[in-house]
């Protein structure tokens, strides 16, 4: 439910109303725009007397929200959310590029890739330490040691770091991680999402392998319900009958989600396609349809990569993608 507040109302009046609503076991989200202030009410709103609320002097209108996702809903929060990842902003016109290897493999590898990615205009460094692999016999990542190497790369380059969490028990290891990734396979790991909701860390929530946009937004809602609203959605392709590509990149999700939600949306063409030559055209298309950022896998020697080499770009290829993407961005902005 949302209550649209009249113009010219004082902060004290808003606070009074907030206390009154909170005393009815509702949580109140305030969204102050340039012209409109909206109060979003979450919880069991069935007992709320709409007429009573609407007749209050400071309330313009009350509306029920029919979608099951509330906090993530644009009706609650008409302005774009801008997520600040240790100084790098994403959303609301701020574009960010997350780049780096699928997995952290060694100190030399991560530092070399980090430096090259930064030189080309990448803004956040990715690298998997805990890897969700289909086979238990495949490389599982350097785990805690991988996180240490990412921190060294951060010290060397100043780039904030992004890496995947698979188990809430590992949260203490992630204190210096700037943006915590929830991978596709864990999008509906609700216990993990609830734990992340208790932190104030920015979260990159990837779309599940076969999940609808509504299910994805409900997963964001799990994190937001705990009080953490710093969420970036990441489209990474969904399972279809197609086999030439690893997944099918659902670019329609970008404008659709931006209409439904205020959260930033980034696109990962690497996991979507699984083939390095498709990364450039899909990255350009993602920017053209309004994505707030990209996630791209870059490896100093893709042929020798321990994970996802076929979809990884060389630093030179990444540099070329950045140049093309920047051009598209200029056109889109006009
Ligand atoms: C990744 O980003 O390394 C990854 C495993 O991606 P996804 O969860 O989208 O498969
Ligand atoms: Mn990967």
């Amino acid at each position: 439910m949302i209550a649209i507040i009249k113009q010219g109302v004082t902060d004290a009046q808003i606070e009074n109303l907030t206390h009154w609503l909170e005393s009815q076991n509702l949580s109140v989200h305030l969204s102050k725009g340039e012209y409109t202030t909206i109060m979003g009410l979450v919880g069991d709103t069935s007992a709320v007397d709409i007429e009573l609320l609407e007749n209050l002097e400071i309330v313009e209108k009350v509306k029920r929200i029919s979608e099951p996702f509330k906090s993530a809903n644009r009706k609650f929060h008409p302005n774009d959310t801008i997520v600040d990842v240790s100084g790098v902003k994403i959303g609301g016109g701020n574009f960010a590029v997350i780049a780096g290897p699928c997995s952290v493999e060694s100190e030399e590898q991560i530092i070399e890739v980090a430096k090259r990615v930064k030189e080309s205009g990448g803004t956040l460094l990715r690298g998997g330490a805990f890897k969700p692999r289909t086979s238990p016999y495949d490389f599982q990542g350097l785990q805690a040691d991988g996180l240490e190497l990412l921190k060294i790369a951060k010290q060397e380059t100043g780039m904030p770091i992004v890496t995947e969490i698979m188990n809430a028990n590992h949260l203490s290891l992630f204190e210096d991680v700037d943006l915590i990734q929830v991978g596709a396979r864990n999008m509906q790991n609700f216990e993990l999402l609830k734990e992340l909701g208790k932190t104030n860390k920015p979260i990159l929530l990837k779309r599940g392998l076969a999940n609808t946009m509504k299910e994805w937004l409900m997963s964001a809602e799990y994190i937001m319900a705990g009080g953490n609203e710093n969420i970036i959605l990441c489209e990474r392709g969904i399972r279809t009958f197609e086999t030439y590509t690893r997944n099918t990149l659902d670019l329609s999700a970008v404008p659709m989600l931006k209409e439904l939600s205020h959260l930033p949306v980034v696109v990962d063409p690497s996991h979507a396609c699984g083939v390095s030559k498709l990364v450039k055209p899909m990255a350009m298309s993602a920017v053209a349809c309004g994505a707030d950022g990209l996630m791209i896998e870059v490896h100093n020697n893709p042929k020798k990569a321990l994970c996802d080499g076929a979809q990884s770009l060389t630093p030179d290829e990444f540099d070329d993608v950045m140049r093309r993407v920047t051009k598209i961005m200029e056109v889109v902005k006009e």
Side-chain angles (χ1 to χ4, degrees), residues 102 126 131 271 297 307-308 311:
C102 181
R126 68 152 283 150
K131 293 302 305 174
H271 289 89
E297 283 189 343
C307 182
D308 285 350
Q311 69 195 31

Side-chain angles (χ1 to χ4, degrees), residues 242-274:
E242 184 50 67
T243 54
Y244 281 117
T245 49
R246 184 174 178 183
N247 294 288
T248 297
L249 180 57
D250 180 10
L251 280 183
S252 62
V254 177
M256 191 73 242
L257 287 170
K258 291 181 82 62
E259 187 181 311
L260 294 168
S261 175
H262 50 90
L263 297 173
V265 184
V266 307
V267 170
D268 170 354
S270 306
H271 289 89
C273 301

Side-chain angles (χ1 to χ4, degrees), residues 179-308:
L179 175 57
I180 299 181
Q181 175 173 329
V182 175
R185 290 153 192 83
N186 274 310
M187 189 204 87
Q188 286 191 313
N189 181 340
F190 300 119
E191 292 305 317
L192 175 62
L193 301 178
K194 282 185 206 167
E195 287 305 316
L196 295 171
K198 294 179 195 160
T199 74
N200 58 5
K201 285 273 182 196
I203 308 294
L204 182 78
L205 180 64
K206 294 190 109 181
R207 184 179 188 171
L209 305 171
N211 284 109
T212 64
M213 290 183 227
K214 194 187 272 180
E215 288 164 341
W216 187 9
L217 287 168
M218 289 312 290
S219 290
E221 198 72 21
Y222 260 94
I223 303 172
M224 296 176 101
N228 183 358
E229 312 223 320
N230 299 308
I231 300 170
I232 301 162
L233 300 167
C234 178
E235 162 61 36
R236 45 78 72 206
I238 45 175
R239 276 274 167 93
T240 67
F241 45 79
E242 184 50 67
T243 54
Y244 281 117
T245 49
R246 184 174 178 183
N247 294 288
T248 297
L249 180 57
D250 180 10
L251 280 183
S252 62
V254 177
M256 191 73 242
L257 287 170
K258 291 181 82 62
E259 187 181 311
L260 294 168
S261 175
H262 50 90
L263 297 173
V265 184
V266 307
V267 170
D268 170 354
S270 306
H271 289 89
C273 301
V275 195
S276 63
K277 67 180 172 196
L278 295 183
V279 171
K280 180 161 87 172
M282 291 300 99
M284 290 163 71
S285 311
V287 174
C289 72
D292 297 295
L294 293 165
M295 173 182 259
I296 296 180
E297 283 189 343
V298 181
H299 196 282
N300 49 342
N301 187 355
K303 286 199 185 85
K304 292 257 170 74
L306 296 180
C307 182
D308 285 350

Side-chain angles (χ1 to χ4, degrees), residues 38-68:
I38 288 178
M39 219 176 236
L41 315 182
V42 194
D44 181 9
T45 54
S46 59
V48 175
D49 183 340
I50 294 192
E51 268 181 33
L52 179 71
L53 195 56
E54 221 160 29
N55 281 328
L56 295 177
E57 200 191 326
I58 70 165
V59 176
E60 173 98 44
K61 208 169 176 42
V62 177
K63 283 189 199 159
R64 285 209 179 271
I65 303 256
S66 49
E67 293 89 357

